[in-house]
Amino acid sequence: MSIIETEATLHEAHRDNHTHRDVNGGWLRPAVFGAMDGLVSNLALMTGVAGSSASPQTIVITGLAGLAAGAFSMAAGEYTSVASQRELVQAELDVERRELHKHPVDEMEELAALYVARGVEPGLAREVAIQLSRDPEQALEIHAREELGIDPDELPSPAVAAVSSFGSFALGAMLPVLPYLLGATSLWPAVLLALLGLFACGALVSRVTARGWWFSGLRQLALGGAAAAVTYGIGSLVGAAV
């Protein structure tokens, strides 16, 4: 095998073995955690009502009300949170844009100093800063990344965040309600289906963590099961006292 072929093989092997998980979570993390939140909160709500010896009709109405209230609350909260964050970032970008317009030389020197602090030779750092500062929009993007740690082209969308939170929460919250809608008259089918859903969500979370899927699944199952057991006990105590 020639040297060129050997280098190509090593390059390909390095590329194949040097991939990383999506550490930002992408769409997976907010979707899974939204579904998990819906599962745990609605399961706990329904078991608490069931513990007070409520009728199946009352339990299913409670579950549907919890689904709707939680999903709308999640969507509204996520929209407000992301919109506020986006507005704050835009305000900081406007400040940086004005500074680049009023004091271009000072901003260029500031950028060069950042590169020097990271180990770049001063002359080279200044030359790089000069070249990057020739385009005002490129300079703004570089300053935003270096000083604010953000990418102006990848700001989150409040609408997308709200819709995804609403959908994932509603999907998770629907699981414990589903057996009742299909004709179940006792709590156990709802609990079993919800616990299976919790295990599946926990296993999916392992996609963005270093834990094994079985560990993440069992951990989430245990936490959700504990929440349901506690609320069932509270419901039983309150139901007996009323």
Side-chain angles (χ1 to χ4, degrees):
M1 182 180 292
S2 67
I3 295 177
I4 295 178
E5 290 174 335
T6 302
E7 289 180 349
T9 301
L10 290 173
H11 174 73
E12 184 176 354
H14 175 267
R15 181 192 63 198
D16 293 340
N17 293 321
H18 203 66
T19 57
H20 296 280
R21 287 186 291 267
D22 180 10
V23 295
N24 291 322
W27 62 269
L28 178 63
R29 182 163 56 181
V32 171
F33 279 96
M36 210 178 290
D37 190 11
L39 256 170
V40 173
S41 61
N42 219 29
L43 175 63
L45 178 64
M46 292 173 64
T47 53
V49 173
S52 65
S53 301
S55 66
Q57 290 81 3
T58 301
I59 296 171
V60 73
I61 290 172
T62 300
L64 291 173
L67 184 157
F72 280 112
S73 176
M74 284 284 292
E78 196 70 19
Y79 184 92
T80 302
S81 174
V82 174
S84 300
Q85 180 185 10
R86 187 183 179 95
E87 289 163 3
L88 175 61
V89 170
Q90 291 288 5
E92 291 300 315
L93 288 175
D94 288 341
V95 171
E96 192 65 34
R97 188 178 285 108
R98 288 195 297 270
E99 289 300 311
L100 284 168
H101 178 71
K102 293 179 181 179
H103 309 288
V105 176
D106 292 338
E107 289 295 312
M108 183 190 66
E109 294 294 344
E110 185 178 304
L111 186 60
L114 284 172
Y115 290 136
V116 170
R118 294 185 178 183
V120 179
E121 191 272 329
L124 178 59
R126 193 170 191 281
E127 182 62 30
V128 170
I130 291 172
Q131 293 187 30
L132 292 176
S133 299
R134 289 173 181 170
D135 181 352
E137 287 305 313
Q138 178 178 256
L140 176 63
E141 181 178 334
I142 297 297
H143 278 274
R145 288 178 175 175
E146 295 294 336
E147 296 179 30
L148 304 176
I150 59 173
D151 187 340
D153 296 327
E154 296 184 0
L155 298 182
S157 166
V160 171
V163 171
S164 63
S165 294
F166 183 95
S168 60
F169 185 97
L171 181 63
M174 177 57 71
L175 277 186
V177 181
L178 191 59
Y180 283 99
L181 296 178
L182 295 177
T185 57
S186 69
L187 182 64
W188 287 112
V191 171
L192 291 175
L193 183 59
L195 292 179
L196 286 174
L198 285 169
F199 181 86
C201 286
L204 281 174
V205 169
S206 67
R207 290 278 302 275
V208 291
T209 68
R211 293 287 189 179
W213 63 269
W214 57 270
F215 177 87
S216 295
L218 289 175
R219 178 175 59 184
Q220 193 56 41
L221 187 152
L223 292 173
V230 169
T231 53
Y232 184 88
I234 294 173
S236 299
L237 291 173
V238 173
V242 174

